[in-house]
Amino acid sequence: MPVHEERALLSAYLDGELGAEESARVEAHLATCTSCAATLSALRATADDLSALAPAALDARASWALRAALRREGRRARTARWVPVAAAASLAAIATLAVTFSDRLSVTAELGAAESIGAPIVVSQENYDQAAARAKILALAGAPLGESPAGGGAGTALTGGTVGGTAGAASGPASRSEAYDATDASDGAAGAPPVAGQDAPVAVSQDAPVERQVAPASKGAGADADRVRRCATEAARGSTDRLRPLLYEAASYEARPAYLLVFAAPAERPERLELWVMAAKDCRVLFFTQEDLRT
Amino acid sequence: MSRSGEPRSDADIVAAHLGGERGAFDEIVDRYEARVYAVALRMCGDAEAARDVTQDVFITALRSLKAFRGEARISTWLHRIAVNASLDRLRRRQRRREQPLDETIEGAVPGLDPEEAAVETERATAVRLAIAALPVEFRAVIVLHDLQGLDYSKVAESLEIPLGTVKSRIHRARLELARMLGHLREEVREPGREERPLT
């Protein structure tokens, strides 16, 4: 098949990118050349097909995660000093981080006992109950809404799962499922349905595809703890408010190992909860949502 | 300053951001996140990669905005970063899999989020796979021109290639697509069709 000079111009012609003179030349040629006319027809059909592709849309949660990552990036210039604080005694399976950024750039880090992170926890989306999860978080946060079983008031660094402080202490190192049971037991006022430990809903917004698989806590989570602290630092870096960490957990997000971190902000008088899911490898923000506590 | 009732121009928002106005960059994100994601999605062929690339693009933009002199329009600039970030991602993936970048990988296109997949028509699937099967330099021009609606000169600006190269790549890319989609029966051989694969 001979290649006509004009053939190479057919796409540009179709796209209206040719000057008047070249267009005229192509048109004249098309009138006499069935092969090029056929090619043009094929190009038109292809362009038509391309327009059948649905516009790509960034879903809401990815959009949130993007903004959270940018907020974090926006404050990158700040530095943080870690000031070790005596670890709180008798932490339950979930260790907590207390990370506070202030304008004075002082940071306190408080890392709990080694029984911090177990294997990633998976719950099915079906047994997730947003209301129950929210109630659980509020209970952990000691927020004014509902009862505050934590007993520590707004000022303490609460440990996830040690509702009332004593439950964890009394039972010593507990598996995560036990910790959630303890929480459930005190949640009466918040109306959370009793949940078997294995199916404790994770505290995320309804759209989150975060998966958690219940597993007993394991020791030797030192490396994990460091990584979580790094991610928590990253998360807090961008915030103008002081963030009070409530809990963190290992999780997986769309099959990627990740950490789930929940903060109350501002730390002193929480107005919202921030939930971050960050990639374990590099603390990339995978998911972000926040819940207004005042509603 | 914008006149009342009219959205600010991109240039004004950039200036506002550089001037320290809070929330100005957010407006840029609002305006361009969908476009950047669209480029990343069609270049990378998978949603997770596209989300990561989108983050990378805006983080890069945030970091480099001071150096952005405004010779190019910010939309062109963002498109450029998006294509480059996508190519970086593809190269990294290629190195891991040890496959030539431009080879069509049978059945390996993860493609879509479940919600998208549910409503995608057969025709759209075919188109999507065809685009993903294009060599990357063809894919880039098709994505920018046919999907993003940039004219040839903006495509040239975004990809930093001559206008003539844009014309020829778009044409060859379309012929390639036309063949894959069954619109062209005969073998199309144009002079110089063989191109060096992207590194």
Side-chain angles (χ1 to χ4, degrees):
Chain A
M1 201 91 240
V3 172
H4 314 156
E5 215 173 57
E6 288 80 3
R7 183 174 201 169
L9 299 175
L10 289 177
S11 283
Y13 171 72
L14 191 60
D15 294 336
E17 294 270 354
L18 291 181
E21 206 187 289
E22 277 186 314
S23 288
R25 218 176 89 212
V26 169
E27 272 160 17
H29 178 79
L30 285 168
T32 63
C33 178
T34 52
S35 155
C36 282
T39 302
L40 185 67
S41 178
L43 292 174
R44 274 214 175 89
T46 305
D48 213 43
D49 280 347
L50 285 166
S51 63
L53 208 52
L58 193 63
D59 69 11
R61 61 179 189 246
S63 196
W64 272 106
L66 170 63
R67 281 163 177 69
L70 289 170
R71 191 177 74 179
R72 175 185 74 175
E73 182 63 27
R75 300 284 172 154
R76 224 178 147 69
R78 290 192 166 197
T79 54
R81 265 180 308 115
W82 289 99
V83 177
V85 171
S90 68
L91 283 176
I94 302 171
T96 56
L97 293 156
V99 176
T100 310
F101 276 88
S102 71
D103 285 332
R104 294 183 303 277
L105 300 178
S106 71
V107 174
T108 54
E110 181 177 289
L111 203 57
E115 292 88 22
S116 51
I117 308 177
I121 299 182
V122 171
V123 298
S124 63
Q125 285 294 207
E126 287 75 45
N127 63 25
Y128 167 72
D129 180 329
Q130 185 173 23
R134 185 162 186 270
K136 214 171 288 296
I137 294 188
L138 295 181
L140 291 172
L145 285 93
E147 309 291 278
S148 171
T156 53
L158 290 163
T159 62
T162 55
V163 174
T166 51
S171 52
S175 71
R176 189 164 297 130
S177 54
E178 284 176 16
Y180 277 107
D181 283 343
T183 307
D184 290 339
S186 317
D187 257 356
V195 178
Q198 293 294 316
D199 293 322
V202 70
V204 297
S205 86
Q206 197 131 30
D207 296 332
V210 176
E211 298 179 321
R212 292 174 48 231
Q213 184 170 41
V214 175
S218 60
K219 286 194 185 245
D224 255 335
D226 282 338
R227 265 180 266 141
V228 176
R229 173 165 34 189
R230 183 163 68 95
C231 288
T233 309
E234 289 287 323
R237 208 184 275 278
S239 181
T240 51
D241 293 324
R242 290 154 65 105
L243 300 185
R244 173 146 60 95
L246 299 180
L247 65 88
Y248 76 80
E249 304 210 6
S252 76
Y253 182 91
E254 294 179 348
R256 286 164 96 165
Y259 298 117
L260 180 144
L261 301 114
V262 182
F263 299 93
E268 302 79 11
R269 304 178 63 82
E271 293 173 355
R272 67 179 188 276
L273 294 175
E274 294 190 1
L275 188 139
W276 296 68
V277 178
M278 304 171 85
K281 193 175 82 164
D282 55 9
C283 299
R284 180 191 289 279
V285 182
L286 301 174
F287 177 84
F288 174 84
T289 188
Q290 59 185 41
E291 277 218 36
D292 195 339
L293 287 173
R294 291 165 299 179
T295 53
Chain B
M1 282 306 174
S2 73
R3 284 154 282 168
S4 62
E6 281 194 33
R8 287 194 286 188
S9 71
D10 284 353
D12 284 347
I13 299 180
V14 172
H17 167 76
L18 294 173
E21 179 184 307
R22 288 172 147 243
F25 192 78
D26 284 339
E27 273 189 68
I28 293 173
V29 177
D30 287 341
R31 285 187 184 189
Y32 288 104
E33 66 176 337
R35 272 176 269 193
V36 168
Y37 178 71
V39 170
L41 181 63
R42 299 304 176 209
M43 287 299 297
C44 296
D46 104 63
E48 183 190 310
R51 287 191 288 268
D52 285 353
V53 166
T54 303
Q55 265 192 26
D56 291 342
V57 169
F58 283 105
I59 287 176
T60 300
L62 185 58
R63 287 180 189 167
S64 331
L65 206 47
K66 283 194 187 63
F68 173 69
R69 297 259 173 272
E71 331 79 49
R73 295 148 59 94
I74 193 160
S75 64
T76 313
W77 187 59
L78 287 172
H79 278 112
R80 180 183 309 153
I81 302 175
V83 170
N84 289 339
S86 302
L87 292 176
D88 284 346
R89 179 97 182 191
L90 288 168
R91 280 191 195 101
R92 280 203 298 271
R93 188 192 293 172
Q94 170 223 346
R95 271 200 294 273
R96 276 203 297 271
R97 289 185 189 163
E98 290 175 17
Q99 264 164 347
L101 189 57
D102 297 338
E103 213 175 76
T104 306
I105 304 166
E106 281 303 324
V109 180
L112 301 179
D113 282 325
E115 309 90 60
E116 269 186 292
V119 299
E120 189 180 56
T121 62
E122 221 176 87
R123 188 182 179 208
T125 307
V127 174
R128 183 171 55 79
L129 293 177
I131 292 174
L134 285 175
V136 292
E137 67 274 15
F138 286 3
R139 205 183 305 165
V141 293
I142 290 291
V143 168
L144 290 184
H145 177 268
D146 288 330
L147 301 184
Q148 293 298 295
L150 269 59
D151 65 24
Y152 284 19
S153 72
K154 294 222 179 62
V155 174
E157 213 182 302
S158 293
L159 297 177
E160 296 180 300
I161 55 179
L163 185 61
T165 309
V166 173
K167 277 186 187 166
S168 116
R169 277 190 196 171
I170 287 184
H171 183 62
R172 278 146 56 200
R174 290 243 188 84
L175 290 176
E176 189 72 33
L177 286 173
R179 267 190 352 167
M180 285 194 272
L181 296 169
H183 298 308
L184 259 187
R185 304 282 176 259
E186 81 269 29
E187 260 307 302
V188 175
R189 285 275 158 222
E190 305 243 339
R193 182 171 183 271
E194 256 51 66
E195 276 205 354
R196 269 173 313 151
L198 226 57
T199 353

